[in-house]
Amino acid sequence: MPLRILKRSVLVLAFAAFLILIVSRVLFVFADAAVVNADKREFLAPEAAVVRESFVDPFADVKGGAPIVRIETLVQDASPLVAADQAVSAARDAVDARREQTAALLAERARLEGRLVALLEAARASVAERIAAREAELVGLAEERERRGRDLDRTQDLAGRRVVSEAALDQTAVASRKSRLDHEAAANRLTALRIQQRLIAAGLMVEEGTGDVAYTAQRLDEVALKLIDAEREARQAELALAGALTHREAERASFERRHVITFLADRDARILPPVAPVGRTIPAGGTVAVAADCAGLFMDVVVAEEDGARFALGQAVRFRLVGSEKEWTGTVAELSANGGSAALRPTFVAPRTSRRTWLLARIAPEAAFMREAALERDCAIGRTAVLKTRSSGLLAPFRAAFRDVF
């Protein structure tokens, strides 16, 4: 009886071992936990600095080349930039002074031109009145001359007939000659006045009664010369200001190259918290911001090397996030035996083994998982996932179960 029971027990155990072997070839077993991660770019302050501008918010998506954060180093030499600012300020003061001087001269020229026009108008009016008076006088003198001429003719006729004396004839001749000379003098004066009128109309200086006109014209010439000098100095001041502005821009660019750093996204990425706020002081080597590539999520799993037989390049695996029952598929994209490149990994999950040798496997999840993860604010980065891989040995399920329990 005991022998029969022993035989049956051996058969049951053998059959169970055979079933376990078959199941281990078909089913999946749980492996160690993995962490969802992505290629991340950490922006570090090379020196102690203060955040001047922040262009993004946590969990925001940025395009490649977009600015993220701008910092300014705390230890800096701004004396060249300060000197350039002072030079620009002095140049602007000089330009303003030259412009004020030019404006004053323009106003003075306008005032003198107005005064000259008024004086010339007054001179024209005065000459016109004097011409009218001379013309009226000339008409009277012409009539007087004709009358004296008739008197002289009549007196000569009477003297020829001995009616009047020679003395009376001489007296009449003198009066006629005087009347003729007065007429000629009046005509000359009228001609002079008309010439003066033409000179005034032409804007030329005249001597008689136009001292104010001459003085005003002279002052206008002096102001014109000063205005030419002022405009030349104003142009020189503007050129000096342009040069000072160019120099200041060069100094500012040099200052920013030396002391201002703008971090740009090297690819399309999502900003992970925290993002240093404006005004925050960052120590040398401190993290300013972190950008993650949500289109390239992966999971790294580290197992003891003796369990590495469960993984092979291109192998399909299944996984689910802790707290979720939904399973996804992935592919083993990279293997690194003995931790060959573990120091370069963004994450590291220590193997649950006392042995120094272990294996790191990188899992590339399916595209559907990446699309769904991208809908989460943090793209599920940092969440733990549980992998299931196909067993490749008879005792692998027992070792996995024993490891998971103990």
Side-chain angles (χ1 to χ4, degrees):
M1 188 67 177
L3 183 59
R4 182 181 299 177
I5 295 175
L6 180 61
K7 289 180 180 180
R8 290 179 179 178
S9 298
V10 171
L11 289 175
V12 170
L13 289 176
F15 183 72
F18 178 75
L19 289 178
I20 291 175
L21 177 61
I22 298 300
V23 170
S24 66
R25 296 289 184 177
V26 177
L27 299 182
F28 285 80
V29 297
F30 286 102
D32 285 8
V35 176
V36 179
N37 210 331
D39 287 333
K40 292 185 287 188
R41 166 79 185 279
E42 291 191 14
F43 300 96
L44 308 178
E47 304 177 32
V50 62
V51 179
R52 291 304 182 196
E53 290 183 84
S54 180
F55 304 98
V56 296
D57 296 322
F59 306 112
D61 290 325
V62 296
K63 296 292 184 181
I68 296 177
V69 177
R70 178 173 294 147
I71 63 174
E72 183 176 340
T73 59
L74 296 177
V75 180
Q76 52 191 233
D77 179 17
S79 57
L81 184 57
V82 172
D85 285 335
Q86 293 174 349
V88 168
S89 179
R92 281 179 174 162
D93 292 342
V95 168
D96 292 340
R98 295 294 179 268
R99 288 176 178 172
E100 291 177 0
Q101 181 185 10
T102 301
L105 289 172
L106 288 172
E108 178 68 10
R109 185 178 70 177
R111 186 185 67 81
L112 291 173
E113 288 176 346
R115 176 178 172 80
L116 183 60
V117 169
L119 290 172
L120 290 175
E121 289 296 331
R124 291 190 188 99
S126 175
V127 170
E129 292 177 358
R130 290 160 60 191
I131 287 175
R134 291 301 179 187
E135 287 177 345
E137 180 186 10
L138 188 61
V139 171
L141 290 174
E143 294 176 353
E144 178 68 17
R145 179 180 177 180
E146 290 179 359
R147 187 177 63 80
R148 292 293 183 183
R150 287 193 302 270
D151 289 346
L152 180 61
D153 292 341
R154 186 171 56 254
T155 301
Q156 286 177 346
D157 181 58
L158 293 174
R161 291 183 292 164
R162 305 285 182 175
V163 176
V164 296
S165 63
E166 291 292 334
L169 178 61
D170 291 341
Q171 185 178 3
T172 302
V174 169
S176 177
R177 186 168 55 252
K178 181 177 180 302
S179 177
R180 179 174 53 79
L181 292 176
D182 289 342
H183 182 270
E184 291 176 357
N188 291 334
R189 288 195 296 272
L190 180 59
T191 301
L193 286 174
R194 285 173 175 168
I195 293 173
Q196 186 176 358
Q197 187 181 41
R198 287 195 298 272
L199 291 174
I200 293 174
L204 302 175
M205 291 187 297
V206 292
E207 296 180 359
E208 184 180 356
T210 56
D212 288 342
V213 174
Y215 173 75
T216 303
Q218 181 182 357
R219 286 285 300 132
L220 193 58
D221 291 340
E222 292 174 356
V223 170
L225 292 175
K226 290 181 179 179
L227 187 59
I228 292 173
D229 293 337
E231 289 177 346
R232 182 179 63 253
E233 292 174 356
R235 286 194 296 271
Q236 292 175 349
E238 290 174 354
L239 290 174
L241 175 59
L245 289 172
T246 302
H247 177 67
R248 186 181 67 174
E249 289 303 318
E251 287 294 339
R252 188 181 301 280
S254 176
F255 175 83
E256 291 184 353
R257 282 195 302 271
R258 287 180 283 120
H259 303 295
V260 178
I261 303 172
T262 301
F263 294 108
L264 305 177
D266 56 351
R267 68 183 75 178
D268 293 353
R270 182 165 298 178
I271 303 302
L272 300 182
V275 178
V278 175
R280 172 71 59 82
T281 300
I282 308 297
T287 300
V288 180
V290 178
D293 181 12
C294 291
L297 296 176
F298 58 85
M299 291 173 289
D300 282 343
V301 56
V302 181
V303 297
E305 189 175 19
E306 63 270 18
D307 297 329
R310 295 200 312 271
F311 296 96
L313 287 176
Q315 175 186 354
V317 298
R318 291 185 182 179
F319 66 92
R320 62 177 177 84
L321 298 179
V322 173
S324 173
E325 297 300 326
K326 187 174 183 179
E327 286 193 350
W328 305 89
T329 61
T331 305
V332 178
E334 185 178 344
L335 293 174
S336 176
N338 296 325
S341 58
L344 303 179
R345 297 303 181 201
T347 59
F348 179 83
V349 181
R352 291 165 54 179
T353 176
S354 59
R355 299 184 59 177
R356 294 178 179 271
T357 56
W358 43 270
L359 180 136
L360 183 145
R362 170 163 292 188
I363 310 299
E366 60 179 306
F369 172 80
M370 293 188 182
R371 288 193 298 269
E372 184 166 318
L375 299 178
E376 299 187 23
R377 299 176 68 193
D378 57 358
C379 301
I381 295 173
R383 293 187 60 180
T384 302
V386 179
L387 300 180
K388 289 196 296 183
T389 60
R390 291 185 182 276
S391 175
S392 59
L394 177 61
L395 300 181
F398 296 103
R399 289 200 300 269
F402 184 82
R403 182 182 65 247
D404 291 337
V405 173
F406 298 98

